[in-house]
Amino acid sequence: MRIWGVTGTNGKTTTTWILAHFLGGGHVTTVEVDTGTRKFSTGYTTPPLPVLKSIFAEMERNGLRDCAMEVSSHAIHQRRFGDTVFAGCAFTNLTEDHLDYHKTMEAYFDAKLGLFRHLAATNPGAPAAICTDTPSGKAMFEAVRPLDVRAVACGVEADAESPVLAAIRSSCPLAGRYNEQNVLLAAALARAGGVPESRILAEIPHLTPRWGRLERVATKSAAEVFVDFAHTDDALANVLSTVKEFTRGKLWAVFGAGGDRDPVKRPKMGAAAARFADELVVTSDNPRSEDPEKIIAAIMDGVPPTASAKVEPDRRAAIRWALSHARTGDVVVICGKGHETTQEVKGVKHPFDDRVEAAAYEP
């Protein structure tokens, strides 16, 4: 069985799922593991090696020939995948995140590069697909090129004339430039794995949003409502700029920032949301051991004084406030938690699902 690794800051889960879809294989993601006969969560983006090996063994018993898996920077730095030999690897992008662990962007970049060093050492000549639409992608491509791998540049720029990009734009249910990049990256590795382009083109119309990745939620609000996992400034900018394109009225962003995580990104998240959303509702998002109001204050440091912003630390109340004040033609995007079903406060994980909360709204 072939193992395919996907790393990067944003887009790993979606790209991994799409790649598994193209390959007809199993997947290991932050949200779920699919072994072909059952689906479950490990609680990790990349599980520890003993868990991984049991997953691979189950997939093989089920007759799967391929497994696409997310590989987090923590997993690379800790060598959590051990002696796993990858058939090929992909890189989505690199934006500020996890600096509580890696300390610097240089160390964070080097951790991601470590996956390709491992690929070159264990499977020389294997494909390494890099999305080169961003400066970090271009830098990664140049860093990977000297290694003993087959570096493949892909993305909206590199694939501007490709039939795959044309198919994405004409028939793919996944919206936004960032999803174009995710599909193109998955397609590049799938082609390297021997999947005919005709099959890739046939599958593109069936890539529907899921797992809280710009997932539409049916509510009693007058507005359209989406839930998204965006929890960095870059991810917020990507999803909100995408939704802005089809919003007829006001664009609302309900979001916060996680506690006990990189605090530097908090004001940047506030600035990014204010750049695209007309109405901000700043709230809690897994405050963990920190004071939610201090996290919110850091976010608000990046929000211009002229922006229309409501502060509501209670996430349930914040969601309901946005849904009750949004009007017909408006779009509300509830950001940060996506697929998550708990809210962590002072070491306790309380049941909380943005999709459930939005659906339960009563005017």
Side-chain angles (χ1 to χ4, degrees), residues 287-296 346:
R288 300 184 177 91
S289 70
E290 289 193 64
D291 179 350
E293 294 191 3
K294 289 185 178 179
I295 298 174
I296 290 172
K346 303 296 183 184

Side-chain angles (χ1 to χ4, degrees), residues 98-101 257-263 265-266 285-291 295 344-347:
H98 303 306
L99 296 192
D100 55 306
Y101 181 88
D260 303 337
R261 299 292 186 270
D262 179 16
K265 71 180 181 182
R266 293 170 186 173
D285 180 353
N286 291 321
R288 300 184 177 91
S289 70
E290 289 193 64
D291 179 350
I295 298 174
E344 185 175 347
V345 182
K346 303 296 183 184

Side-chain angles (χ1 to χ4, degrees), residues 29 181 186 292:
T29 72
Q181 294 165 342

Side-chain angles (χ1 to χ4, degrees), residues 62-126:
N62 293 335
L64 296 182
R65 298 290 302 277
D66 291 280
C67 169
M69 63 177 281
E70 289 188 61
V71 189
S72 69
S73 59
H74 294 69
I76 300 168
H77 185 255
Q78 297 165 10
R79 218 44 180 278
R80 209 177 287 166
F81 48 77
D83 56 357
T84 300
V85 177
F86 292 93
C89 294
F91 174 81
T92 61
N93 51 58
L94 193 79
T95 61
E96 191 167 295
D97 202 11
H98 303 306
L99 296 192
D100 55 306
Y101 181 88
H102 295 292
K103 308 305 180 186
T104 67
M105 286 299 291
E106 290 75 19
Y108 186 28
F109 181 95
D110 192 66
K112 297 293 189 185
L113 179 59
L115 179 62
F116 297 96
R117 294 195 188 104
H118 174 78
L119 180 67
T122 57
N123 191 6

Side-chain angles (χ1 to χ4, degrees), residues 10 21 70 86 108 254 301-302 327 331:
N10 299 314
H21 195 76
E70 289 188 61
F86 292 93
Y108 186 28
V254 181
D301 283 343
R327 297 292 176 253
V331 178

Side-chain angles (χ1 to χ4, degrees), residues 28-33 40-48 51 55 72 80 261 339-340 344 349:
V28 178
T29 72
T30 303
V31 185
E32 75 172 17
V33 172
F40 58 95
S41 173
T42 65
Y44 291 88
T45 293
T46 311
V51 179
I55 289 169
S72 69
R80 209 177 287 166
R261 299 292 186 270
H339 63 280
E340 294 178 354
E344 185 175 347
K349 292 185 176 181

Side-chain angles (χ1 to χ4, degrees), residues 15-348:
T15 302
T16 301
W17 162 65
I18 296 169
L19 176 59
H21 195 76
F22 288 158
L23 292 166
H27 59 250
V28 178
T29 72
T30 303
V31 185
E32 75 172 17
V33 172
D34 185 348
T35 65
T37 56
R38 67 185 183 115
K39 297 178 181 179
F40 58 95
S41 173
T42 65
Y44 291 88
T45 293
T46 311
L49 184 60
V51 179
L52 275 178
K53 289 201 170 187
S54 68
I55 289 169
F56 297 156
E58 184 174 330
M59 288 182 179
E60 287 186 320
R61 288 195 300 271
N62 293 335
L64 296 182
R65 298 290 302 277
D66 291 280
C67 169
M69 63 177 281
E70 289 188 61
V71 189
S72 69
S73 59
H74 294 69
I76 300 168
H77 185 255
Q78 297 165 10
R79 218 44 180 278
R80 209 177 287 166
F81 48 77
D83 56 357
T84 300
V85 177
F86 292 93
C89 294
F91 174 81
T92 61
N93 51 58
L94 193 79
T95 61
E96 191 167 295
D97 202 11
H98 303 306
L99 296 192
D100 55 306
Y101 181 88
H102 295 292
K103 308 305 180 186
T104 67
M105 286 299 291
E106 290 75 19
Y108 186 28
F109 181 95
D110 192 66
K112 297 293 189 185
L113 179 59
L115 179 62
F116 297 96
R117 294 195 188 104
H118 174 78
L119 180 67
T122 57
N123 191 6
I130 315 289
C131 178
T132 54
D133 283 341
T134 63
S136 64
K138 290 178 173 66
M140 184 62 73
F141 185 76
E142 292 304 317
V144 166
R145 284 181 68 183
L147 302 177
D148 192 359
V149 296
R150 177 160 52 88
V152 179
C154 58
V156 175
E157 296 172 7
D159 296 301
E161 305 300 324
S162 76
V164 173
L165 181 57
I168 295 168
R169 289 179 169 170
S170 65
S171 63
C172 185
L174 299 173
R177 180 184 174 94
Y178 64 100
N179 271 320
E180 292 176 349
Q181 294 165 342
N182 293 338
V183 178
L184 289 167
L185 189 58
L189 265 196
R191 281 194 299 266
V195 178
E197 189 164 270
S198 58
R199 176 173 160 182
I200 292 171
L201 295 173
E203 294 294 337
I204 286 173
H206 304 292
L207 301 175
T208 55
R210 60 192 306 195
W211 295 339
R213 270 64 177 175
L214 202 54
E215 184 177 342
R216 188 189 300 271
V217 180
T219 77
K220 293 181 180 179
S221 173
E224 283 190 275
V225 180
F226 294 87
V227 168
D228 193 83
F229 189 51
H231 60 283
T232 67
D233 56 304
D234 182 66
L236 278 172
N238 282 337
V239 69
L240 294 175
S241 62
T242 294
V243 176
K244 188 79 170 176
E245 294 177 2
F246 60 78
T247 301
R248 293 178 290 116
K250 290 184 176 181
L251 174 58
W252 296 68
V254 181
F255 72 103
D260 303 337
R261 299 292 186 270
D262 179 16
V264 179
K265 71 180 181 182
R266 293 170 186 173
K268 294 181 180 179
M269 291 174 68
R275 193 179 317 132
F276 297 102
D278 304 296
E279 301 286 345
L280 308 183
V281 184
V282 186
T283 188
S284 299
D285 180 353
N286 291 321
R288 300 184 177 91
S289 70
E290 289 193 64
D291 179 350
E293 294 191 3
K294 289 185 178 179
I295 298 174
I296 290 172
I299 293 171
M300 292 302 295
D301 283 343
V303 177
T306 54
S308 179
K310 163 79 171 175
V311 170
E312 175 48 78
D314 184 317
R315 191 173 181 92
R316 180 172 289 110
I319 292 171
R320 291 178 180 176
W321 195 91
L323 298 189
S324 66
H325 286 77
R327 297 292 176 253
T328 302
D330 293 358
V331 178
V332 177
V333 187
I334 306 168
C335 301
K337 295 177 68 62
H339 63 280
E340 294 178 354
T341 57
T342 60
Q343 175 88 315
E344 185 175 347
V345 182
K346 303 296 183 184
V348 179

